[in-house]
Every structure is written in C-alpha cells, then in structure tokens.
Amino acid sequence: MENPNHKGEKPYMVCIVGGTSSGKTTFTEKLKMEIPGTVTHFGLDNFYNGIPEGINPINYDFDHPSSLDWDYVVKCVKEIVETGETRIPIYDFKTHSRVPEKFEHLKADKVMIFEGILCLYDKRLMDLFDLKIFIHCDPDIALGRRILRDIAERGRDVTEELTRYNKFVKPDIQKFVTPQMKLVHLNI
C-alpha cells in the first residue's frame, strides 16, 4: 500500500485517551479547528472484535482490553506512520459487530489524531505517538453523556446503560483507563 501523497515524512501522531464519554471526540474536533494544516483522526472504536455468538450484549464487557483486536490496531497505526495510509475496519454499534468486507481507506495528513478509552493500553503503541493527552471528566457528567449518546445513536435504553456502566464500565475505568494517565504528556 503506497500513498502517493506520503513523501517519507512521518505524520505528527497525537493520542487522546480518557474514560467513556469524557470528551475525547469533542476535544479532537476542537483541535482539528485550531491546528493549522491538515488533521485527520481515527478511533479505537473501529477495532472492537464484536460479541461472540450467543452472548447477550448486556453481559459483554466492551471496556475490557480483550474486546479489541490489538494486533490490528498496532498494524494500522504503524502503517499510518510508516507508509502514510491504512485500511481500518467499520464497526456497527447497533449490531455489535464489524461490517463484513467493509473498510475505510485512511490516508495520513500532517497531523493524525488517534483517540479512544484504551489507546495506550498496548505497549507496542507507546513509541508511535509524538503527543499523548489524557482527558479528565467528572464521572457523573460522563455517565450522563454516555446515556444520551447511546440512546440516540446506538439504540440502547437507560436500564441497559446503567447495568453495563455499573457492571463493567466503572470498574474498567479504574482498572484499565485511569492507569494511562501516567503515560501521557498532558492531563487535561
């Protein structure tokens, strides 16, 4: 895969990490408006494995590192850095699965922003980013944002969201997300 616009210059790689609904995407959109030049972003959400057959979504832990295809994440981020392009999978939050045989072709810009709850969990990614940012948010505000987003965009209901939050999300934030604060350049 060769990007004709990639002239051997490594894009400036930014990683934005933080808990669910902490404001990572909103912060990313604001950065895109403020940074001169061209900025493209992609997210960890595209790399979910999907729910194993026969598992009820309410009993599946999407916030656990095992829910993500880390080899594929590392492959795509490295390709962006080394060749200037990659193909990322498309994930459907309503069906809890990857869209078969469908990918987004992503070409590197001068600045590439990668965001998600566990972006720095896999140590193979650490040296690929020039700037690492952790977004902090009051847990109650984040939960409210998550409920509103998941009802409006993902077809969930309040009971399902509260059950999943208490069973998986909140404990996983403490166990997997919060420790990433020590790995970043900026805590916001």
Side-chain angles (χ1 to χ4, degrees):
M1 201 181 313
E2 183 80 20
N3 180 351
N5 297 324
H6 185 70
K7 299 184 179 24
E9 295 177 25
K10 178 185 172 291
Y12 189 79
M13 298 293 292
V14 178
C15 175
I16 299 177
V17 66
T20 184
S21 299
S22 60
K24 296 176 300 296
T25 303
T26 301
F27 183 75
T28 296
E29 292 301 324
K30 287 182 180 183
L31 274 179
K32 286 170 67 173
M33 291 187 305
E34 295 295 324
I35 296 174
T38 310
V39 179
T40 295
H41 90 276
F42 61 116
L44 192 61
D45 286 353
N46 292 80
F47 297 92
Y48 281 108
N49 290 312
I51 299 177
E53 197 168 319
I55 302 289
N56 183 327
I58 202 151
N59 294 321
Y60 186 76
D61 188 354
F62 292 95
D63 293 75
H64 192 278
S66 65
S67 69
L68 294 152
D69 185 344
W70 288 105
D71 290 337
Y72 203 175
V73 172
V74 171
K75 174 188 175 291
C76 289
V77 174
K78 279 186 173 182
E79 283 180 351
I80 283 291
V81 171
E82 295 169 2
T83 71
E85 65 182 302
T86 193
R87 288 178 2 148
I88 60 173
I90 308 291
Y91 188 81
D92 184 339
F93 285 95
K94 291 182 181 177
T95 64
H96 305 287
S97 63
R98 284 190 193 162
V99 178
E101 305 298 319
K102 195 168 185 184
F103 299 89
E104 178 184 352
H105 189 188
L106 191 66
K107 290 189 178 190
D109 282 323
K110 291 179 183 177
V111 177
M112 295 297 297
I113 299 175
F114 184 59
E115 54 109 348
I117 63 171
L118 297 167
C119 286
L120 297 174
Y121 178 78
D122 191 304
K123 302 298 183 223
R124 295 175 290 175
L125 296 170
M126 289 299 299
D127 293 334
L128 298 175
F129 298 107
D130 300 298
L131 177 62
K132 301 169 205 128
I133 302 170
F134 191 96
I135 303 292
H136 294 267
C137 182
D138 178 274
D140 293 335
I141 292 171
L143 174 58
R145 289 176 181 166
R146 179 185 169 103
I147 290 171
L148 291 173
R149 177 200 66 200
D150 286 2
I151 289 171
E153 297 174 17
R154 299 179 181 177
R156 309 293 197 303
D157 65 48
V158 174
T159 302
E160 178 182 7
E161 283 304 306
L162 290 173
T163 299
R164 186 177 284 126
Y165 183 81
N166 287 312
K167 186 174 183 179
F168 299 120
V169 177
K170 188 175 179 180
D172 285 349
I173 287 171
Q174 292 303 312
K175 190 171 184 180
F176 303 114
V177 178
T178 303
Q180 294 174 97
M181 288 189 307
K182 297 174 187 165
L183 306 173
V184 301
H185 299 105
L186 295 171
N187 279 283
I188 300 174

